[in-house]
Amino acid sequence: MGRLAPSSPENASATDREDLSEEEIRLLIQFMSEVGAAMNGAGDATTFIRRSLHRIARAYGLRHVEVFVVPTLLLLRYGNDRSTFVDLSSNIPTDLRLDQIAALYDLVDDVEATRPPPVEGLVRLRAILRQPARFKTPARILALMLITGGIVLLLRPSWEEVALSLGLALVVGVLKEGGSRWPALWPLVPALAGLVVGSISLLAIEQGLNCRPLQVLIPPLTIFLPGAALTVSMIELANGDIVAGGSRLAYGATRLFLLVSGLVVAAGWTGIPPSTNVDSVQLTPLVPLVGLLLFSTGVFLHFSAPRGSFGWLLLVIAAAWIGQQMGSILLGPYPGGFVGGAVMIVVASLIQDRPGAPPLIVSFTPAFWLLVPGAIGLEGLTQIVGQSPESGIDEVVAMFVTMIAIALGVVFGLVISGSRRSLDPAEGMTTDR
């Protein structure tokens, strides 16, 4: 975290509060910088990070705070007639769990409402970031199997595909938990997971297991798919945050290519089996409900969701999936993504102030996986290097169109829900252009 550098500008406004000492202002700017970095690590859009930081500044009476945010950097500058403070932060926390994200946004709301001493906010924030996970490694691996099982049941699988996907999820869980212990190796984990999952599944199919390759490849790897990052990048680009949106889009694309590189190597070793027809599980109304329940339970356990939030998470996840399905039936697949994104945000906005309900970002983040922009892209990139390059290109185009539809749905949902996070050009924020 960067240190604050006081100076004395010749032409600064004197309209700010005079009851804050220089030391208090210094601590407040430092607190805002660390909060912004944590929100960045939570994957929030830079548009909303700037807005939250400006609201905190106004709560304390600071009117001349400039904020520059990109996914890996945050810069704050404040100046009045006495001094100027600058704080630069490139120490962005990574892999924040849902309970940490919920506590972070509760802290932001408390600070805006009660204006505690900045040092108190710093102590609370650092305690949140040090907070250990509530569930141990075996529970998180089991939870990943539940996430995979839930997604598989929504894709009309055969029983063989269900069994193989759960086995592959166990392998991915071990790789993910093991890789998280060695940060230097973590960037290689998606490629390694793609290689191992691809090799096992393609060899099993080659030996006669009656499964469709992509039906068993995608669900276990969903945990690595950057669907939320890709969609947030579309929101940032649409809002004019070109640097932030472009860098986040590049990050999401790189994650996809890392996964695909492992699958490509696996396909080169084993060959790509021909397409086959399988006997799918009968899709009664109970099967999707079981899938949504398993998926929500897995998310709750794997990401240590806040206590008492399970029912709310299930509600938002189910609303997103139902909205997408109904929109696809009535309007087509791309408008279906728009409807799913809008419904997801509206429901998450309506419940966020209920007792025990998590903040909006916590409740809608898991639902991105069910809207599946990342999965479409993985399938398309796999086909490009496989037997159907023309079809693969079509799928990649479909991924970007779906992302745009979901992003527009999210923005529309924010507007019609009256959320404080809705896009309001009257905020007077600086941009990263």
Side-chain angles (χ1 to χ4, degrees), residues 15 19 29 81 127 154 183 198 227 296 346 402 411 423:
T15 60
D19 57 348
I29 297 299
D81 59 347
L154 298 174
S296 302
V346 170
T402 302
V411 174
L423 299 176

Side-chain angles (χ1 to χ4, degrees), residues 37-302:
M39 295 173 72
N40 224 343
D44 204 352
T46 55
T47 302
F48 302 136
I49 296 173
R50 286 198 305 270
R51 177 163 310 158
S52 293
L53 295 181
H54 277 94
R55 283 204 302 261
I56 291 174
R58 287 198 297 270
Y60 285 86
L62 305 185
R63 303 292 177 181
H64 298 278
V65 176
E66 299 178 61
V67 182
F68 174 91
V69 190
V70 292
T72 57
L73 182 70
L74 186 142
L75 176 65
L76 284 173
R77 178 186 181 277
Y78 167 73
N80 64 8
D81 59 347
R82 292 174 293 173
S83 58
T84 294
F85 297 90
V86 178
D87 195 291
L88 173 67
S89 174
S90 59
N91 183 22
I92 307 299
T94 57
D95 297 324
L96 293 183
R97 303 181 309 273
L98 293 182
D99 59 339
Q100 292 175 302
I101 296 174
L104 169 65
Y105 283 81
D106 287 341
L107 172 61
V108 170
D109 289 340
D110 289 346
V111 167
E112 290 181 31
T114 65
R115 293 189 295 125
V119 66
E120 178 183 323
L122 280 169
V123 171
R124 287 180 59 186
L125 174 62
R126 291 168 182 174
I128 290 170
L129 297 180
R130 291 194 302 267
Q131 186 175 301
R134 290 193 290 123
F135 303 106
K136 302 299 183 182
T137 298
R140 292 198 296 271
I141 293 176
L142 174 62
L144 186 56
M145 296 176 68
L146 294 177
I147 291 173
T148 299
I151 294 174
V152 169
L153 290 180
L154 298 174
L155 298 177
R156 299 183 65 90
S158 67
W159 290 117
E160 291 91 342
E161 289 169 343
V162 172
L164 180 56
S165 294
L166 291 178
L168 293 172
L170 175 61
V171 175
V172 170
V174 172
L175 290 174
K176 182 177 182 292
E177 292 299 322
S180 65
R181 300 176 186 273
W182 291 280
L185 297 178
W186 178 249
L188 302 177
V189 171
L192 179 61
L195 173 62
V196 174
V197 167
S199 299
I200 294 175
S201 58
L202 293 177
L203 282 173
I205 295 171
E206 185 178 295
Q207 294 302 314
L209 193 64
N210 191 24
C211 297
R212 293 161 291 183
L214 291 175
Q215 205 80 356
V216 296
L217 284 173
I218 291 176
L221 296 174
T222 297
I223 198 71
F224 297 113
L225 293 175
L230 292 172
T231 305
V232 169
S233 74
M234 292 293 103
I235 296 174
E236 291 172 331
L237 290 171
N239 194 52
D241 292 333
I242 298 172
V243 175
S247 59
R248 204 183 300 271
L249 181 62
Y251 162 78
T254 301
R255 286 291 294 268
L256 281 175
F257 278 112
L258 284 173
L259 276 175
V260 170
S261 65
L263 294 174
V264 170
V265 174
W269 287 352
T270 64
I272 301 177
S275 300
T276 181
N277 294 321
V278 301
D279 295 326
S280 300
V281 175
Q282 290 296 319
L283 191 63
T284 66
L286 182 62
V287 172
L289 292 178
V290 172
L292 292 172
L293 181 62
L294 291 177
F295 177 84
S296 302
T297 303
V299 166
F300 182 84
L301 295 173
H302 190 78

